[in-house]
Amino acid sequence: MAKTVYVLNGPNLNLLGTREPETYGRATLADVEKLCRKAADRHKLAIDFRQSNHEGEIVDAIHQAGAEKAAGIVVSAGAFTHTSIAIRDAIAAVEVPVVEVHISNIFARERFRHRSHIAPVAKATLCGFGVAGYALAIDGLAGLTARRKV
Ligand code: CA2
């Protein structure tokens, strides 16, 4: 059976494509899901794609990915990136590689966006590639899975 990559989207990302196109582009979250499924298909991986505006739901999804020994997690945690110790601790608690993704270059924006609580516990971080970053993250996770012996 195909291994699963969880793609977890945080608060307000349900609004993607409807506002602030100069920062986040015009793709909707449904477009991002399609993009992720295409990338996963190339690597014979399955996708579990979710969005939540609630921190605890994201923590629960990370635990679920850990319990199911997922191939990886792509986390686009939105503003929780800058505030959530709970998401950070959940990532640190599971033995699943996590790639942090940001659509915009958070380091070229306001100072409060420069700090990520997730980056220190993530395998890798991608930011500034627009929504293409999601597919790049899946490619990266697929490479890790292929290299892993068990
Ligand atoms: O660049 C990113 O991916 C962010 O994670 C997006 C977050 C922001 O708080 C982070 O600092 C950087 C915001 C997600 C909300 O996305 C919207 C998209 C369109 C319209 C409204 C919100």
Side-chain angles (χ1 to χ4, degrees), residues 13-14 16 27-37 49:
L13 283 157
N14 50 313
L16 202 61
T28 64
L29 199 60
D31 296 330
V32 175
E33 179 169 358
K34 275 188 213 146
L35 184 92
C36 290
R37 291 197 186 281
F49 191 93

Side-chain angles (χ1 to χ4, degrees), residues 18-110:
T18 66
R19 291 173 50 201
E20 301 185 58
E22 61 292 348
T23 307
Y24 299 117
R26 295 194 184 276
T28 64
L29 199 60
D31 296 330
V32 175
E33 179 169 358
K34 275 188 213 146
L35 184 92
C36 290
R37 291 197 186 281
K38 244 174 121 173
D41 282 352
R42 286 200 296 272
H43 301 291
K44 299 193 173 13
L45 291 165
I47 288 287
D48 188 324
F49 191 93
R50 305 181 192 190
Q51 187 274 333
S52 177
N53 294 321
H54 305 281
E55 188 176 16
E57 284 185 4
I58 296 171
V59 170
D60 287 343
I62 293 165
H63 293 172
Q64 192 183 334
E68 290 182 6
K69 300 193 190 314
I73 302 173
V74 176
V75 65
S76 174
F80 286 153
T81 303
H82 318 300
T83 61
S84 179
I85 309 292
I87 292 175
R88 180 210 185 279
D89 286 349
I91 291 171
V94 296
E95 284 178 34
V96 175
V98 172
V99 180
E100 176 190 21
V101 169
H102 298 286
I103 298 166
S104 64
N105 179 355
I106 55 174
F107 300 104
R109 301 183 63 192
E110 304 95 322

Side-chain angles (χ1 to χ4, degrees), residues 1 9 15 23 33 38 83 86 97 108 112 125 133 135 139 144 147:
M1 208 172 70
N9 295 280
L15 301 176
T23 307
E33 179 169 358
K38 244 174 121 173
T83 61
F112 67 85
T125 295
D139 289 346
L144 290 177
R147 279 196 296 278

